[in-house]
Amino acid sequence: MVARCAIVDYRGQVIYDFFVQPTAEVTNYRTPTTGLESKHLQPGSALPFQQVQQDVARFIQGKIVVGYQLYKDFSVLGLSHQAIDTRDVGLFLPFRNALGAQDMVSLVKLVEQLMRRTIQAGYQNPVEDARAALDLFRSYEEEWERSIASGLWTCALPPPSFAPYLL
């Protein structure tokens, strides 16, 4: 289930940031971590899931999408996107290699170790996370795009269960 959806442009400016009405009963808002309370997800404060799904599909169509564990976002939203048009900093092997990691490294650790910056010091904030992923991407953008242009794919594959979301 998605509780909040945020999209920033290449410069980190917020172009979409809304709470999302739940599609099932919420049993734990994880308020100490998320800052979410039931009032945030009520009609009038939050958009219906289908509207958010349609809005996001429209925003990302034909665009390169940058983020962290994008396959999870696509899965929760019930959307798919061209793999060639995704830049997932969690799957980017040069970042993992720089940290000597074989497996997925948290966004917090990637930003801390590679950007020398702290994120999620209070509540998790999707705008802050989107900007952090974008900053990581931009720090290696030329090499990343050069690799793709030359036919090399420098990212690990997401778990197989998420394959339907990356075309």
Side-chain angles (χ1 to χ4, degrees):
M1 189 166 8
V2 61
R4 184 175 171 191
C5 181
I7 301 173
V8 299
D9 66 14
Y10 184 81
R11 298 196 190 299
Q13 297 298 310
V14 175
I15 58 174
Y16 194 85
D17 183 18
F18 290 100
F19 290 107
V20 183
Q21 294 172 14
T23 56
E25 180 184 359
V26 177
T27 58
N28 184 351
Y29 289 91
R30 297 178 45 232
T31 303
T33 303
T34 65
L36 286 174
E37 298 176 12
S38 92
K39 66 182 180 183
H40 295 120
L41 305 182
Q42 300 303 312
S45 296
L47 297 177
F49 173 79
Q50 288 182 331
Q51 180 181 344
V52 172
Q53 183 185 47
Q54 292 168 358
D55 291 347
V56 172
R58 190 178 68 252
F59 275 119
I60 68 173
Q61 184 176 6
K63 295 198 173 86
I64 292 175
V65 179
V66 176
Y68 177 80
Q69 292 187 335
L70 290 168
Y71 54 89
K72 288 184 177 180
D73 296 333
F74 295 146
S75 170
V76 168
L77 288 167
L79 300 174
S80 57
H81 198 65
Q82 295 292 320
I84 194 73
D85 290 337
T86 63
R87 305 296 183 268
D88 193 319
V89 299
L91 297 175
F92 191 53
L93 294 174
F95 290 160
R96 287 188 190 183
N97 294 341
L99 300 180
Q102 296 288 325
D103 297 320
M104 184 73 68
V105 178
S106 72
L107 181 61
V108 171
K109 186 171 183 176
L110 284 171
V111 172
E112 181 181 279
Q113 296 295 314
L114 301 175
M115 305 293 292
R116 302 288 184 232
R117 192 167 97 206
T118 301
I119 62 168
Q120 298 181 10
Y123 299 126
Q124 290 177 340
N125 181 321
V127 172
E128 179 183 43
D129 290 353
R131 288 175 174 154
L134 186 60
D135 288 345
L136 282 165
F137 166 73
R138 289 191 311 219
S139 75
Y140 215 81
E141 181 179 6
E142 288 182 26
E143 294 87 345
W144 200 329
E145 296 302 327
R146 192 172 27 249
S147 294
I148 292 171
S150 69
L152 298 174
W153 192 249
T154 56
C155 288
L157 295 175
S161 60
F162 291 98
Y165 305 103
L166 294 172
L167 307 174

